[in-house]
Amino acid sequence: MGPLDAFLRFAFLGFAAILAVISLWSYQRHRERRLLLLVAAFGLFLVEGVWLVVEMALYWTSSVGPEWVGLNLAVLVSLYLALLR
């Protein structure tokens, strides 16, 4: 596991955490059902990010390579950009 993989894993975890918290605050303020679905989606990404960092910290064999983590990060960013519209 190289430095690029470690960076992507921590970036994925951080971005997923930020988006999950912000969407949860938005749901608490507006109480719309679609925001609850958004909280669930970003929460799943957050769980995946935690798993990827725990996997790295415990020196387990990588379940995914940096290209898959980068692809997940790109999907997460594209979901965020779609929300900005």
Side-chain angles (χ1 to χ4, degrees), residues 23 27 31 78:
S23 61
Y27 172 72
R31 299 286 183 191
S78 69

Side-chain angles (χ1 to χ4, degrees), residues 54-72:
V54 165
E55 181 180 69
M56 181 182 68
L58 296 178
Y59 299 109
W60 292 339
T61 56
S62 280
S63 59
V64 295
E67 56 278 343
W68 285 106
V69 178
L71 181 63
N72 274 339

Side-chain angles (χ1 to χ4, degrees), residues 6 9-10 13 48-58:
R9 287 172 186 242
F10 278 106
L13 174 64
E48 182 182 357
V50 168
W51 175 258
L52 289 171
V53 170
V54 165
E55 181 180 69
M56 181 182 68
L58 296 178

Side-chain angles (χ1 to χ4, degrees), residues 3 13-14 18 20 24 30 35 42 46 55 60 65 71-74 81:
L13 174 64
I18 290 168
L24 182 61
H30 299 288
L35 290 175
F42 287 141
L46 178 60
E55 181 180 69
W60 292 339
L71 181 63
N72 274 339
L73 186 59
L81 293 176

